[in-house]
Amino acid sequence: MAEKNPTICIIDDNPVDREVFRRYLLQDTRYHYQFYEEETGEEGIALCRRVQPDCILLDYTLPDINGLEFLAGLVDSSGSIPFAVIMLAGMGDESIALQAMKSGAQDYLVKNEMTPGNLFRAIHNAIERSTMRRTLEKHQQDLEQKNQEIQAFAYALAHDLRAPLRAITGFSQIVAQDYKDALDADGRHYVDNIVDACTQMDRLIDDLLSYTRIEHRAIHYKPVALGYLVQQIIENMAERINQAQALITVAEDLPMVYGDTTLINQIFVNLIDNALVYRKPDDQTRLSLSWYQDGDFAVVRLADNGIGIAPKHYERIFNLFQRLHGDELYPGTGIGLAIVKKATDLLGGHVWVESTPGEGSTFFVKLPMNIS
Ligand code: ADP
């Protein structure tokens, strides 16, 4: 679009200046421009929103607001200005113009020094940039859509694999139990292998469904009492905790955070579960939960005394299917931390790990606090 008829919004209350800009731009042999004009800032902002121009020529001094306020009025929900703005400053206003560039204008021109040549250059640059930005946005949108399609596909696949897998698991368990006398040692061994593989696949499908479901369900933000939620999780996991003979200590003053109960629950279930799995066989498993405040965020620390993680793996363990150990040593699917990461991202938070291999790991979960 921009290659043919770029749209220019001229926001200037001086009709003579507007006429000059138009005349200059009509001499440009590269583009045939479409012009839109407004005299005041408020109307100018509305015009730009409506027209979505390739470039805005903006006089700094408008009757109602100044150029900086105009720029602030263009800021979109992502916090940036989705237009290429060339600020037009008077002689001696260069410091203001520089400030405007810091606030998101792309270029500035001193009105009295303007020539067709430097106006063309500034506008060509602006158009190239805005064309590039739009292409990038389009790619980004396509990518997001593809991502959503893949997630939907994974969800449907995992969902539909469940029923046949149940049948295989059920029947192989029956063979393993009720027909064991009819089988020789090899036969029993093979059937046991089938049952084990089914259990592993069932876990994989469950985890994959949890992961993809995060994307599918609506998020309900509300104040969540972390102390209560963690206590519930520990009660529900009591059997596993007892089996591991683990000692879990929880700070009494865990804060109220602001988020979605289901997502926060998934975060802590997965992290506590991992602390029970990746333990050192000969030491008593210890896990402590504490927290500190960082601005408007609460950072919860989960410190275990398990096998630890080498620094080079700090990032990659949060990716889907990334495991540092074979299934024989530590069973797992490589999905838990990907769930934790996706959930914290969705809640506007962050998760990271620090660890000393052989001594233990501390996972940090940063979540928005409920500040009333
Ligand atoms: P899974 O536990 O199913 O393998 P996760 O995504 O939860 O998948 O974890 C990814 C990998 O990160 C694990 O395979 C393990 O190697 C490592 N890991 C996770 N939590 C811990 C922990 N508390 N201590 C040591 N290693 C851990």
Side-chain angles (χ1 to χ4, degrees):
M1 278 290 279
E3 286 307 314
K4 289 210 174 68
N5 299 102
T7 43
I8 311 280
C9 284
I10 305 175
I11 316 296
D12 193 325
D13 59 325
N14 184 335
V16 180
D17 283 353
R18 294 204 303 271
E19 175 70 22
V20 170
F21 304 148
R22 257 187 287 125
R23 275 170 189 263
Y24 278 2
L25 288 173
L26 286 174
Q27 298 169 32
D28 188 352
T29 48
R30 188 185 300 184
Y31 294 117
H32 176 70
Y33 297 101
Q34 284 184 65
F35 298 108
Y36 295 85
E37 301 179 15
E38 270 307 346
E39 298 192 357
T40 68
E42 293 298 341
E43 282 166 333
I45 291 172
L47 174 75
C48 295
R49 290 239 169 90
R50 198 170 65 245
V51 172
Q52 301 280 309
D54 295 292
C55 179
I56 301 171
L57 280 180
L58 173 65
D59 185 20
Y60 179 79
T61 323
L62 296 168
D64 51 347
I65 55 176
N66 68 32
L68 293 181
E69 289 163 331
F70 191 99
L71 288 174
L74 290 179
V75 171
D76 66 11
S77 56
S78 74
S80 60
I81 295 175
F83 303 106
V85 181
I86 300 174
M87 184 74 80
L88 306 169
M91 278 286 234
D93 284 346
E94 285 89 342
S95 66
I96 290 172
L98 285 174
Q99 212 177 325
M101 287 183 71
K102 279 191 201 147
S103 311
Q106 189 186 313
D107 209 343
Y108 79 92
L109 292 172
V110 176
K111 267 191 176 181
N112 304 10
E113 294 171 354
M114 191 192 286
T115 61
N118 62 20
L119 182 61
F120 294 170
R121 250 194 314 279
I123 291 210
H124 292 173
N125 269 339
I127 290 169
E128 268 163 31
R129 279 236 221 154
S130 77
T131 310
M132 214 145 71
R133 188 175 42 75
R134 281 176 194 175
T135 313
L136 268 173
E137 274 170 12
K138 174 82 178 56
H139 283 325
Q140 181 73 23
Q141 274 170 10
D142 288 353
L143 215 68
E144 268 163 29
Q145 199 195 333
K146 285 267 172 335
N147 197 16
Q148 271 171 15
E149 281 169 16
I150 291 170
Q151 301 262 356
F153 175 71
Y155 181 77
L157 192 70
H159 189 265
D160 291 355
L161 284 176
R162 262 188 152 172
L165 180 65
R166 289 262 150 78
I168 301 171
T169 314
F171 285 120
S172 52
Q173 274 166 349
I174 292 173
V175 174
Q177 281 158 22
D178 299 356
Y179 293 80
K180 58 173 185 279
D181 296 337
L183 297 168
D184 62 9
D186 278 352
R188 281 197 293 274
H189 178 65
Y190 295 145
V191 174
D192 286 345
N193 282 353
I194 297 174
V195 174
D196 286 351
C198 286
T199 314
Q200 166 68 0
M201 191 154 160
D202 198 39
R203 229 177 7 223
L204 196 69
I205 288 176
D206 268 355
D207 285 359
L208 209 54
L209 275 176
S210 309
Y211 180 78
T212 46
R213 211 175 263 141
I214 292 183
E215 214 76 21
H216 280 254
R217 52 177 290 280
I219 302 177
H220 302 290
Y221 292 94
K222 60 175 189 143
V224 176
L226 264 191
Y228 179 73
L229 185 128
V230 167
Q231 189 194 325
Q232 296 280 308
I233 293 174
I234 291 175
E235 276 172 26
N236 288 336
M237 293 174 87
E239 208 181 306
R240 298 240 310 101
I241 295 168
N242 281 339
Q243 268 171 8
Q245 298 193 330
L247 185 70
I248 302 187
T249 48
V250 182
E252 276 174 16
D253 63 343
L254 286 186
M256 293 287 287
V257 291
Y258 192 73
D260 176 288
T261 316
T262 309
L263 291 182
I264 299 175
N265 193 63
Q266 276 174 310
I267 294 171
F268 288 97
V269 166
N270 278 295
L271 291 176
I272 296 173
D273 189 77
N274 278 350
L276 299 177
V277 172
Y278 300 101
R279 60 181 203 255
K280 284 184 286 192
D282 300 329
D283 295 355
Q284 185 189 19
T285 303
R286 290 171 191 275
L287 171 67
S288 83
L289 276 81
S290 56
W291 77 287
Y292 62 89
Q293 188 168 350
D294 178 6
D296 291 346
F297 289 82
V299 181
V300 182
R301 282 180 291 236
L302 294 96
D304 66 42
N305 64 339
I307 57 173
I309 299 159
K312 64 176 178 198
H313 300 309
Y314 283 1
E315 301 275 331
R316 91 171 170 99
I317 52 169
F318 292 99
N319 294 337
L320 208 52
F321 302 130
Q322 293 295 327
R323 309 201 63 228
L324 306 179
H325 309 278
D327 214 43
E328 328 70 54
L329 215 54
Y330 296 99
T333 58
I335 299 177
L337 290 181
I339 292 178
V340 171
K341 174 153 174 43
K342 193 189 258 198
T344 41
D345 283 353
L346 281 171
L347 294 172
H350 185 50
V351 59
W352 69 99
V353 67
E354 285 170 16
S355 173
T356 309
E359 285 186 21
S361 312
T362 302
F363 282 85
F364 297 84
V365 180
K366 184 172 180 174
L367 293 173
M369 277 184 85
N370 182 49
I371 294 170
S372 42

